[in-house]
C-alpha cells in the first residue's frame, strides 16, 4: 500500500498539479488509513475494512470525517483507473454524513464602531505624523476598514497588489481561491481615504514590493499579523469572544443580507463558487427574524 500511496501523491503533484495544502491533507489522511488497516496488499481491502475505519473515524468532527472519506474515495478511484484493483470497495458502501449547522460568528454594528473608534482615536493621539507609529496606525485603519467594507479573506487582503487597485481607490481586483478573479467596488469614502493614506505613507515600500499592506521591515504584511491586530483590537473594545479577520467577512455578508441584498450578489462579492456556501447566512437572518418577533411581536402587547 505504501508504494501505491507514493504513486498517488506523485500523480496529484505532477499530473493534477494540486496545491501543497491539498497534497499535505491527502498524505495525512492516507497515512492514517494505512496505519489503521495495517494491510500490505491493497487488493485485500473490502467494504468490511472500510466500515471498521469509518467507525474509528466517528471520534472526529463531521467535517473532518467527510474530508478523510473523500480522500479515500479519490485514492481508490485512482487505483481502479490504474487497474491496480479490480473491485473498488466504495462501490459496495453507502455513507451519508450531514454536517452540523454552525452559524457564523458576527460583529454587531456597535462592536465594529467601537473597534474603528479605538483606531481613529489612536491616530489623533499621535502628534508626530512622520513616525512609524503613525504610519502603522494609518495602515491598521485601512486593514480593518477594508475587511469590513469588502468582506475579503485575510489571505486576499495580504496579497492585494497596488496594481489591482484603481487610481481612485474605488475598485479592487481580488485573486481568490482557485485563482478565480472578482472585483469589489469600494464605495465608502472613509475606506477609500484609509487606502489612499496607506499608499501615501508606505509609497516607497509599496513601489518596491508591489503589495499595498507593508510591515515594519518593509515586507508584505503577514496574515498572522492581521490576526493578532484583530485579536488585540477586540480585546481593547471589550468584546468577550474570539474575533478573527474572518468574522469581519461573516459580518459583512450578514449585514448585507439584513439590508435585503440579493444573495447572488453577496455570493459574487465573497467569491463563493457555490450559492450553497453563501446560504449559511440565510440561517443567520432567520435567527434575527426569530429574535425580532420574540421581542417586538405586536401580539405581545395583548394580554389575553
Amino acid at each position: 500500500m505504501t508504494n501505491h500511496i507514493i504513486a498517488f501523491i506523485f500523480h496529484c503533484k505532477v499530473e493534477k498539479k494540486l496545491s501543497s495544502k491539498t497534497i499535505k491533507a491527502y498524505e495525512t489522511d492516507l497515512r492514517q488509513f494505512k496505519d489503521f488497516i495495517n494491510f500490505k496488499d491493497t487488493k485485500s481491502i473490502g467494504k468490511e475494512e472500510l466500515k471498521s475505519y469509518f467507525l474509528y473515524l466517528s471520534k472526529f468532527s463531521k467535517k473532518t470525517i467527510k474530508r478523510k472519506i473523500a480522500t479515500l474515495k479519490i485514492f481508490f478511484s485512482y487505483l481502479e483507473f490504474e487497474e491496480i484493483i479490480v473491485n473498488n470497495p466504495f462501490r459496495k458502501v453507502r455513507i451519508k454524513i450531514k454536517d452540523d449547522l454552525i452559524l457564523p460568528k458576527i460583529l454587531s454594528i456597535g462592536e465594529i464602531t467601537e473597534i474603528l473608534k479605538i483606531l481613529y482615536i489612536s491616530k489623533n493621539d499621535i502628534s508626530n505624523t512622520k513616525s512609524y507609529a503613525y504610519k502603522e496606525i494609518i495602515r491598521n485603519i485601512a486593514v480593518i476598514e477594508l475587511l469590513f467594507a469588502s468582506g475579503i479573506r485575510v489571505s486576499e487582503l495580504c496579497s492585494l497588489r497596488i496594481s489591482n487597485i484603481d487610481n481612485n481607490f474605488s475598485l479592487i481586483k481580488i485573486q481568490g481561491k482557485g485563482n478565480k478573479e472578482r472585483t469589489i467596488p469600494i464605495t465608502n469614502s472613509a475606506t477609500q481615504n484609509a487606502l489612499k493614506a496607506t499608499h501615501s505613507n508606505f509609497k516607497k515600500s509599496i513601489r518596491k514590493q508591489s503589495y499595498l499592506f507593508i510591515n515594519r521591515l518593509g515586507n508584505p504584511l503577514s496574515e498572522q499579523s492581521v490576526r493578532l491586530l484583530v485579536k488585540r483590537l477586540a480585546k481593547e473594545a471589550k468584546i468577550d469572544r474570539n474575533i478573527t479577520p474572518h468574522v469581519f467577512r461573516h459580518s459583512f455578508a450578514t449585514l448585507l443580507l439584513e439590508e435585503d441584498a440579493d444573495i447572488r450578489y453577496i455570493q459574487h462579492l465573497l467569491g463563493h463558487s457555490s450559492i450553497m456556501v453563501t446560504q449559511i447566512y440565510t440561517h443567520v437572518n432567520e435567527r434575527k427574524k426569530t429574535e425580532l418577533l420574540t421581542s417586538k411581536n405586536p401580539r405581545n402587547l395583548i394580554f389575553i
Side-chain angles (χ1 to χ4, degrees), residues 273-301:
S273 57
S274 168
I275 194 71
M276 298 298 290
V277 181
T278 318
Q279 281 177 338
I280 184 68
Y281 299 107
T282 63
H283 293 286
V284 180
N285 203 35
E286 289 300 323
R287 185 183 63 185
K288 284 287 183 183
K289 288 178 185 176
T290 303
E291 290 174 359
L292 176 66
L293 287 178
T294 301
S295 60
K296 304 290 185 183
N297 195 325
R299 181 62 180 85
N300 297 341
L301 301 174

Side-chain angles (χ1 to χ4, degrees), residues 46-268:
K47 69 176 183 178
E48 293 307 319
E49 286 73 29
L50 289 183
K51 285 181 179 179
S52 296
Y53 184 61
F54 297 160
L55 184 63
Y56 163 75
L57 290 179
S58 62
K59 64 182 180 179
F60 295 98
S61 70
K62 289 183 180 180
K63 187 175 180 180
T64 301
I65 293 170
K66 287 181 75 173
R67 191 202 77 203
K68 290 181 181 296
I69 291 175
T71 298
L72 281 184
K73 281 184 177 179
I74 295 166
F75 176 60
F76 276 98
S77 293
Y78 161 81
L79 295 177
E80 186 179 30
F81 181 80
E82 294 293 327
E83 298 181 348
I84 296 168
I85 60 173
V86 177
N87 298 311
N88 187 337
F90 270 95
R91 298 192 184 281
K92 298 180 179 181
V93 175
R94 285 199 182 102
I95 183 165
K96 188 174 182 180
I97 301 167
K98 190 175 180 181
D99 284 335
D100 292 328
L101 180 62
I102 301 173
L103 296 180
K105 288 186 289 187
I106 63 169
L107 289 160
S108 68
I109 288 292
E111 288 171 329
I112 294 166
T113 301
E114 191 60 32
I115 287 173
L116 287 171
K117 195 184 292 183
I118 289 167
L119 286 166
Y120 281 103
I121 288 173
S122 297
K123 173 193 167 187
N124 294 334
D125 286 345
I126 299 174
S127 55
N128 184 4
T129 58
K130 300 293 183 183
S131 66
Y132 181 78
Y134 182 80
K135 290 173 66 175
E136 185 178 52
I137 202 73
I138 289 291
R139 183 206 64 202
N140 290 349
I141 288 171
V143 165
I144 300 301
E145 286 276 10
L146 190 58
L147 282 174
F148 180 54
S150 66
I152 63 174
R153 302 175 178 94
V154 64
S155 58
E156 295 168 344
L157 179 138
C158 292
S159 62
L160 182 62
R161 295 177 182 271
I162 192 63
S163 58
N164 288 335
I165 307 172
D166 75 342
N167 293 334
N168 297 320
F169 291 84
S170 59
L171 190 73
I172 61 174
K173 191 185 294 180
I174 302 295
Q175 201 76 25
K177 285 186 176 181
N179 287 326
K180 290 182 180 176
E181 196 176 89
R182 69 187 191 279
T183 55
I184 303 176
I186 304 300
T187 57
N188 180 270
S189 59
T191 307
Q192 289 176 0
N193 291 337
L195 296 177
K196 289 176 185 176
T198 297
H199 179 252
S200 177
N201 279 274
F202 288 87
K203 193 174 288 185
K204 188 176 178 181
S205 295
I206 289 170
R207 193 181 298 120
K208 184 180 178 182
Q209 296 288 350
S210 82
Y211 293 96
L212 176 64
F213 295 108
I214 303 294
N215 66 15
R216 181 184 288 272
L217 299 175
N219 297 320
L221 189 66
S222 70
E223 294 176 31
Q224 182 62 11
S225 295
V226 177
R227 292 189 185 97
L228 291 173
L229 168 66
V230 168
K231 188 174 182 179
R232 175 174 63 79
L233 289 170
K235 187 176 180 181
E236 288 180 32
K238 294 181 170 54
I239 300 171
D240 191 23
R241 305 195 305 283
N242 181 33
I243 303 301
T244 66
H246 217 70
V247 175
F248 283 87
R249 181 173 165 85
H250 293 323
S251 305
F252 168 80
T254 303
L255 292 168
L256 274 178
L257 197 62
E258 288 179 2
E259 292 297 318
D260 298 323
D262 189 304
I263 193 168
R264 294 202 176 273
Y265 291 130
I266 298 173
Q267 177 194 359
H268 177 73

